[in-house]
Amino acid sequence: MMTPGPAGLSPAEAADRLVRDGPNALPRAGRRSTFHIAFEVVQEPMFALLLAGGMAYLLLGDLTEALILLAFASFSVVVTVVQETRTERVLEALRDLSAPSALVVRGGERLRIPGREVVCGDLLVLEQGDRIAADGRLLSADDLQADESLLTGESLAVGKAVQADAPSADHRPGGEDQPYVYSGTLVARGSGIAEVTATGPRSEIGKIGESLATLDTEAPRLQRETTRIVTWCAIGGGAVALAVVVLFGLLRGGWIEAILAGIAIGMSMLPEEFPVVLTIFLAMGAWRIGAVGVLTRRAAAIETLGSATVLCTDKTGTLTENRMSVVALWLASGEDATLGEAPCAFADYGPIVCMAALASAVEPSDPMEIALHQAHVEVCAPSEPVWTHVHGYALRPDLLAMSNVWRTDDDRLIVATKGAPEAIADLCKLAPGERDRMTLAVDRMAARGIRVLGVATAVATDTDWPETQAGFAFELVGLVGLADPLRPTVKAAVAECRSAGIRVAMITGDYAATAKAIAAQAGIADGDMLTGDELAALDDAALAVRLKTVTVFARIMPEQKLRIVQAFKADGEVVAMTGDGVNDAPSLKAAHIGIAMGKRGTDVAREAAAIVLLDDDFGAIVQAVALGRRIYDNIRKAMAFIFAVHVPIAGLALLPLVFGMPILFGPIHIALLEMVIDPVCALVFEAERAERDSMRRPPRDPNEPLFSVTMIAWGVFQGGLAFAMLATVFLLEVRGGMPEAEVRALIFFALIAEILALILVNRSFGASIIDAFARYNSALRAVLAAIVVIASLIFFLPAAQTLLKFGSIAWIDMVFAVGLGAGLLVLLELCKPVVRSIMRRGAIARPAAA
């Protein structure tokens, strides 16, 4: 019954035009080149200290050590540039994923493609909520309105109309009934098809130099905390280093040696790894979450994921497969049919199936309308005459129904409408008895988890269309029931949420009985149900009371989602919220974590959200929460390790000065140790697996600081214990008469062993020496192998010992050094239960104090 649409460009022609005109993209600001990254690295304090140390050795005439320090500085630059370039590539890939997509007609088929691949001549399919990918001229429009405030500054949407003789030049955004649409603007209402006339820098938005890149790659709270702690450590370390230089020079003489001692102290106390850890962990975390089908558009959402307490999810396409089929029919005469196999069993119900399809979009993209069209093809005879679509009425918040007007082959005007059963009942002005009979049929279908639509028809007398659908005299045809199977992963994912202390609430526009049946199938906790009408009747205080027991919200209007989110937030919950429509944008923005649908979601919803589900799968949300907790845990592990490892290094650099002994470690030794610390922080802890109880413990307090007193104290305690062991050995060996070079070698190897112990201790919050070794981590294996190789070279090669001013130590001394590391590992693992108990008591006390 429907006329075929235009075929659009062929794929080959589109590819040729893409090569000819270039991608539909604007120059992207903020992208760092490799040279820019290298320039930033050479401005870092650690690089400056390495260069200063090299210059000091040159002044002392020690060319070899100067060259080694310069080599370390160069290696540090290379490693950092490689890591940062990798991070930039990850962020670039995420930006490409988050760029607006476009629905185009090519070769007669509708295809969803990246916006950058749109070319001139493409046919853009425009739907409510989409961000338009390129400038174009309308070929068809159905109640189409566009928000062009990005270009004009005017907040009101403007209507669009097709004009066959519209000029191709001298048109500007703004104004009513224009036949043009513009890149970057939003479809506020209706639908249409436009032929692309300009892309990229040739579009209106390109001419004024606007950029659509919206990916935020910083986590403000974490960034502030990290900057503050690094600043304080740098100030403290600088003050200590300056004092060492002055005191060393005044008390011992030799100002060049004093400068070297000060540089060594400064390098040992500067925690430059903090910002590196934060940047790399969040960027790689966003990439890891993307690998499970979740796009993180704002990195701050990663840390928030771990503290989510309420997850509000819609039903269709998130809990269900978004793959609907017609399974039940009910006629106004009272006859009904149930189907479990194919729509052809409804052959006797052809009129209602055909009318439901005629009330749908001519070119459907919604799964429900696709199912109606498929049923229409199978049920209705293929020889039926072609009808022409002449007018349409879109779904509106105040009337949950949509209608299409068709001109038949005998020139009659037939109106087909479908929508919520109660809305159809109102349009048909059903008598109380008829309404009760229809409601009973709706209840029977809904109790089985079937989505129910009412179908009605009317005859239009002329083309003087009424303002709304209510202006027609509708007659009820019947009800259509559609089923959407639950996703197989949903039940386990909901159970995992519950074990993680996350409450799942389903919010849907479906009939109450349908919502309750699907919630039961999904395993959503038993609780009360609240409908949209009941919600509207509650004040804020009453709603706050009801929310404590409600797990299913049914017959909810999109704008009511915002009130639900705000009520949960007012009750102290950390809210994650899913949505896909234009009207969902406020609630997505208001939620702590807005989650938009990648496939069926509108561009405006995706832009309002912090996270986008690429496959619209609820299970992906739970995986994202688990990854968010893992990422945050690993950041804390790395930070604790950084605090711990700098204590013995700084202590051993200061200790000889305090006791008037020769300097133990110079800049070259500290630089060599930094070559161990940096990859450990950036690679090993980032790749560490999740804690076993990460999804069995309650959400963390979102206000909990990253650098908590407990975490800092635990890190300093670890480092302090390591330093105490090493300082004791150092003092005893010096008093026992061991030569200076041999002491330096022994303490260096013992320090390496203890750094390895600190790595193993901080891999897990739990107390298990077996876990410390057995937990798989390929990055750790690579780092351990590199450390063993370097330590072996130093131990066996006299030339390496000479460079480092090491003496040759016996095998028994090396075994003793390794034993110190093993002893530290055992002691700290034994301390973990006490630390965990203190942390749990702190977590319990915080809410009480609040």
Side-chain angles (χ1 to χ4, degrees), residues 534-570:
E534 292 170 341
L535 175 65
L538 297 175
D539 60 21
D540 290 344
L543 177 59
V545 174
R546 288 295 305 275
L547 283 184
K548 297 184 184 301
T549 58
V550 173
T551 54
V552 177
F553 298 84
R555 274 302 189 242
I556 297 296
M557 300 294 292
E559 57 268 23
Q560 289 180 312
K561 291 183 179 181
L562 176 60
R563 190 177 175 205
I564 294 171
V565 169
Q566 290 173 331
F568 273 127
K569 289 174 67 177

Side-chain angles (χ1 to χ4, degrees), residues 498-585:
R498 295 174 66 178
S499 69
I502 302 172
R503 176 182 168 193
V504 179
M506 188 175 81
I507 304 177
T508 179
D510 265 357
Y511 198 71
T514 304
K516 191 170 184 179
I518 295 296
Q521 294 174 28
I524 293 176
D526 293 336
D528 295 340
M529 179 183 296
L530 189 67
T531 66
D533 290 341
E534 292 170 341
L535 175 65
L538 297 175
D539 60 21
D540 290 344
L543 177 59
V545 174
R546 288 295 305 275
L547 283 184
K548 297 184 184 301
T549 58
V550 173
T551 54
V552 177
F553 298 84
R555 274 302 189 242
I556 297 296
M557 300 294 292
E559 57 268 23
Q560 289 180 312
K561 291 183 179 181
L562 176 60
R563 190 177 175 205
I564 294 171
V565 169
Q566 290 173 331
F568 273 127
K569 289 174 67 177
D571 197 36
E573 305 284 2
V574 179
V575 185
M577 175 80 185
T578 69
D580 58 2
V582 179
N583 291 327
D584 291 335

Side-chain angles (χ1 to χ4, degrees), residues 461-517:
T461 56
D462 53 45
T463 57
D464 185 16
W465 313 121
E467 184 177 346
T468 69
Q469 304 165 69
F472 296 107
F474 283 106
E475 291 184 8
L476 179 66
V477 178
L479 302 172
V480 177
L482 301 103
D484 185 7
L486 200 70
R487 289 182 183 267
T489 59
V490 163
K491 196 164 186 177
V494 170
E496 191 171 6
C497 279
R498 295 174 66 178
S499 69
I502 302 172
R503 176 182 168 193
V504 179
M506 188 175 81
I507 304 177
T508 179
D510 265 357
Y511 198 71
T514 304
K516 191 170 184 179

